[in-house]
């Protein structure tokens, strides 16, 4: 059909999503785009896990508050799969900075503060590999196919 590449990416609904009861509404945006859920887990991250997830931001001025926020409640972690999933998910989510997140994107529609931007997604296939391994054991990933469905 085309030369796009199937990818997997890690998406994390931060505590604000569950607190505001908008998990279904956000998940719907990924599904209607044609992305496939192949793993999902509701969990409370502990501090070492949050620090491992956000290791690249250690030392930045927002880091301590970011860790604190991520620990305020359960998160919903998932792996989404689809053609160019890393890029497609990032575009659906919108830029990290709320200043640049336009209406129509998840952050543009649901978040008012950059630090509390409600959702995280891997920024490259390499990050996706590392982040998926932090949240999921291989046996927790459920691969499935659409058969010959032409839709996606
Ligand atoms: P996320 O995609 O989870 O990746 C790192 C997080 O750090 C980011 O979303 C924001 O929640 C937070 N973050 C990044 N940059 C800033 C910033 N300039 N000010 C406050 N928080 C930030």
């Amino acid at each position: 059909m085309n030369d796009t590449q199937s990818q997997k990416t890690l998406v994390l609904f931060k505590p604000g999503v569950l607190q505001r009861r908008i998990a279904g509404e956000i998940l719907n945006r990924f599904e209607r785009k044609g992305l496939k859920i192949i793993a999902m887990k509701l969990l409370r991250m502990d501090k070492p896990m949050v620090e491992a997830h956000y290791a690249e931001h250690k030392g930045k001025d927002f880091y301590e508050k970011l860790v604190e926020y991520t620990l305020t409640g359960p998160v919903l972690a998932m792996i989404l799969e689809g053609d160019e999933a890393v890029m497609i998910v990032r575009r659906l989510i919108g830029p990290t900075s709320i200043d640049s997140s336009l209406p129509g994107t998840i952050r543009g529609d649901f978040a008012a503060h950059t630090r509390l931007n409600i959702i995280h997604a891997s920024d490259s296939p390499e990050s996706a590999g590392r982040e998926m391994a932090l949240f999921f054991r291989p046996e927790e990933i459920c691969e499935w196919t659409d058969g010959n469905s032409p839709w996606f």
Side-chain angles (χ1 to χ4, degrees):
M1 196 156 57
N2 55 35
D3 57 3
T4 53
Q5 183 158 9
S6 182
Q7 294 176 334
K8 298 179 175 68
T9 190
L10 187 282
V11 173
L12 187 66
F13 290 7
K14 301 185 193 184
V17 173
L18 289 162
Q19 288 158 0
R20 291 165 57 193
R21 279 68 160 168
I22 53 175
E25 204 171 338
I26 294 178
L27 190 55
N28 178 252
R29 294 185 178 212
F30 295 122
E31 287 203 285
R32 74 185 185 192
K33 184 73 175 173
L35 291 153
K36 199 160 67 170
I37 302 166
I38 60 165
M40 186 174 270
K41 186 184 284 185
L42 184 66
L43 73 154
R44 270 183 183 272
M45 296 172 75
D46 61 16
K47 201 166 181 204
M49 188 177 186
V50 175
E51 288 175 343
H53 179 63
Y54 284 128
E56 67 180 289
H57 298 294
K58 194 172 171 68
K60 295 183 183 167
D61 57 352
F62 57 83
Y63 175 77
E64 296 297 335
K65 290 280 187 196
L66 173 64
V67 172
E68 199 179 299
Y69 166 56
T70 312
L71 291 169
T72 58
V75 299
L76 190 61
M78 66 199 74
I79 299 175
L80 301 180
E81 184 177 45
D83 287 347
E84 307 296 335
V86 171
M87 177 273 290
I88 284 178
V89 167
R90 297 275 293 185
R91 293 190 75 170
L92 288 172
I93 285 176
T96 304
S97 167
I98 290 306
D99 294 349
S100 324
S101 291
L102 295 175
T105 65
I106 292 167
R107 285 167 171 165
D109 287 348
F110 296 105
H113 303 279
T114 297
R115 183 169 49 79
L116 308 177
N117 64 7
I118 71 165
I119 190 161
H120 167 88
S122 309
D123 62 6
S124 66
E126 294 70 34
S127 303
R130 182 176 53 77
E131 294 174 356
M132 289 188 294
L134 183 64
F135 284 89
F136 295 97
R137 296 191 300 275
E139 63 271 25
E140 293 176 318
I141 300 172
C142 182
E143 307 273 0
W144 56 280
T145 63
D146 291 309
N148 293 322
S149 164
W151 300 111
F152 307 118

